Amino acid sequence: MSKLYIVPTPIGNLDDITLRAIRVLQEVDFILAEDTRTSSFLLKHLGIEKRMYSHHKFNEHATVRMVAEAIEAGRTVALISDAGTPGISDPGFLLVRTCVEAGIEVETLPGATALVPALVQSGFPCDRFAFEGFLPQKKGRMKRLEALRDEERSVIFYESPYRVVKCLEQLIEVMGPERRVSVSRELTKKFEQTVRGTLEEVLNHFRTHEPKGEFVIVLAGREKERAARNEEHLEYEA
């Protein structure tokens, strides 16, 4: 049966791919990849030979209808991104929406994504959280942060190594230096690291240790942060 498969791929460690994902990539008629060169490395590692076409943020508006028509004609298609789950800060949303509107079946496989391990290992409450992805690079960046000032849930951001220090400085400007934060980099890779502390402490760390790799920033929610400090104070007094 023709359909669109959304297939997560490893965010670093190539072993983090499911048996089901491998089977789907083997069986589909063709694969849409954010970067065919990056995905070729993964497919070679898995021993899969399959025709691939580029589907990225610069061409997705022009190609979504063509892909939908191919599926309607009986083809099965898998969409993958460079790493993680397509549609989460990666191309995918427009294609999924087009297929849904056309009545085409969309099946999303569970799998790798950076935000979940970063949140869980932060030590912050993860029963409720807000995922913000990448902040605007310039216009609207501070306005977005100010809107999150009183957010009580843990808040997750993606950030590049070139803007991590600036992002932490801006978080201090809006949230204050004592708000707690957990910053993870290179998740699942050899040099994976998580730095936890106050915004000021973590900022000082990355001012003296050059940021490298892809980053996930988990900010403690305002009320959750206050409650955690109160509990620590009570434990200290006891």
Side-chain angles (χ1 to χ4, degrees):
M1 179 179 177
S2 62
K3 67 173 70 173
L4 171 67
Y5 289 96
I6 307 299
V7 182
T9 53
I11 61 175
N13 190 320
L14 295 183
D15 290 338
D16 292 335
I17 188 163
T18 68
L19 295 174
R20 181 179 170 205
I22 294 173
R23 177 180 58 79
V24 167
L25 293 176
Q26 290 171 333
E27 293 177 352
V28 294
D29 291 308
F30 63 88
I31 297 170
L32 300 174
E34 185 179 3
D35 187 326
T36 55
R37 294 166 299 180
T38 300
S39 297
S40 292
F41 182 82
L42 173 64
L43 294 186
K44 183 178 180 180
H45 174 78
L46 297 173
I48 297 174
E49 293 185 8
K50 188 68 59 174
R51 183 175 296 241
M52 282 193 296
Y53 298 97
S54 294
H55 183 80
H56 47 71
K57 65 180 180 180
F58 301 108
N59 74 354
E60 60 179 338
H61 285 85
T63 60
V64 291
R65 188 61 248 172
M66 181 177 17
V67 173
E69 289 173 355
I71 300 173
E72 288 176 321
R75 312 292 292 279
T76 55
V77 179
L79 173 66
I80 60 177
S81 60
D82 288 351
T85 301
I88 305 297
S89 294
D90 283 320
F93 162 70
L94 287 177
L95 180 58
V96 171
R97 183 177 66 180
T98 299
C99 288
V100 169
E101 291 174 348
I104 295 170
E105 184 176 356
V106 178
E107 186 171 328
T108 302
L109 278 62
T113 183
L115 70 95
V116 173
L119 171 63
V120 173
Q121 69 189 25
S122 71
F124 302 148
C126 47
D127 52 337
R128 297 171 62 246
F129 61 90
F131 174 63
E132 287 291 315
F134 287 97
L135 290 165
Q137 291 188 22
K138 295 181 180 179
K139 186 177 180 181
R141 188 177 176 91
M142 292 302 291
K143 185 176 181 180
R144 178 81 65 82
L145 290 178
E146 288 167 359
L148 294 168
R149 187 198 313 270
D150 295 325
E151 175 60 66
E152 297 181 0
R153 297 169 294 178
S154 303
V155 185
I156 306 167
F157 306 94
Y158 285 166
E159 193 54 275
S160 80
Y162 310 107
R163 291 191 295 271
V164 165
V165 169
K166 183 65 175 179
C167 182
L168 292 170
E169 290 173 343
Q170 292 172 326
L171 285 170
I172 287 175
E173 183 178 343
V174 175
M175 313 292 178
E178 295 302 312
R179 181 78 66 93
R180 297 196 68 79
V181 69
S182 174
V183 178
S184 296
R185 70 179 189 89
E186 294 292 84
L187 286 169
T188 78
K189 299 179 184 178
K190 181 178 180 180
F191 298 106
E192 175 179 334
Q193 178 190 37
T194 295
V195 180
R196 305 174 184 86
T198 65
L199 279 168
E200 186 172 43
E201 290 168 343
V202 175
L203 171 61
N204 288 335
H205 171 85
F206 286 110
R207 278 176 171 167
T208 56
H209 298 77
E210 181 184 1
K212 294 181 180 180
E214 298 302 315
F215 283 77
V216 184
I217 298 173
V218 184
L219 182 72
R222 186 179 66 83
E223 292 297 327
K224 300 291 186 183
E225 159 71 7
R226 183 181 301 169
R229 286 207 307 271
N230 289 340
E231 288 176 3
E232 289 175 358
H233 181 66
L234 290 173
E235 289 175 0
Y236 176 79
E237 288 186 334

